[in-house]
Amino acid sequence: MQGSAIFNGVFELREGVSEEEFLPTLKAFYEHFIELGFASGYRILRREALEGFGKTLPAFKYRGALIYPNTEREQAAYEYVKQDGEPVRSLHYAMNSKVKRGADFFVETCIVCNRSSY
């Protein structure tokens, strides 16, 4: 959807943390933003290496994508997180405590989109 914004995080799990242990914490965090009306959906993706490609990308195994209807809703959600109140503080900590340091984040805005693309 043109004008939509996608907040992306690329990351690795901490040593000893399984996907099965981690995924419920990320889902709870993302679903909180949907319940509050900030976001409209999400994707959690596992990177699969392609032989001969991806050599210039930073190291990461996972990408979480939280989808917003527009940049205004994404910015409002960002401001909400910065307030560091409950329950987002606890949801954020539960998720982040399972992720290695060095995670990185970026926002994409859709300039040309096909409805089925997200």
Side-chain angles (χ1 to χ4, degrees), residues 7-118:
F7 180 87
N8 294 277
V10 291
F11 55 91
E12 301 267 349
L13 298 181
R14 286 186 190 257
E15 202 68 36
V17 175
S18 69
E19 268 186 30
E20 294 75 24
E21 182 182 358
F22 171 71
L23 288 176
T25 66
L26 185 54
K27 287 179 185 179
F29 183 70
Y30 283 174
E31 288 173 7
H32 180 66
F33 288 89
I34 292 169
E35 290 167 6
L36 292 178
F38 290 120
S40 57
Y42 62 88
R43 284 186 171 194
I44 303 169
L45 305 116
R46 183 186 320 109
R47 180 179 174 185
E48 303 293 337
L50 295 174
E51 188 175 332
F53 293 95
K55 294 175 184 168
T56 61
L57 293 172
F60 70 92
K61 185 169 183 176
Y62 298 96
R63 180 169 69 94
L66 189 54
I67 304 160
Y68 295 92
N70 54 53
T71 56
E72 291 80 15
R73 297 310 301 151
E74 187 279 327
Q75 187 61 44
Y78 185 76
E79 294 301 323
Y80 169 69
V81 172
K82 280 177 34 178
Q83 292 174 9
D84 200 30
E86 291 298 341
V88 74
R89 174 192 297 167
S90 295
L91 292 167
H92 202 217
Y93 177 79
M95 174 195 57
N96 279 345
S97 67
K98 294 173 178 30
V99 173
K100 279 186 184 177
R101 288 195 179 282
D104 213 344
F105 307 92
F106 59 96
V107 174
E108 299 171 301
T109 55
C110 187
I111 55 175
V112 177
C113 300
N114 176 307
R115 279 191 204 168
S116 64
S117 65
Y118 260 89

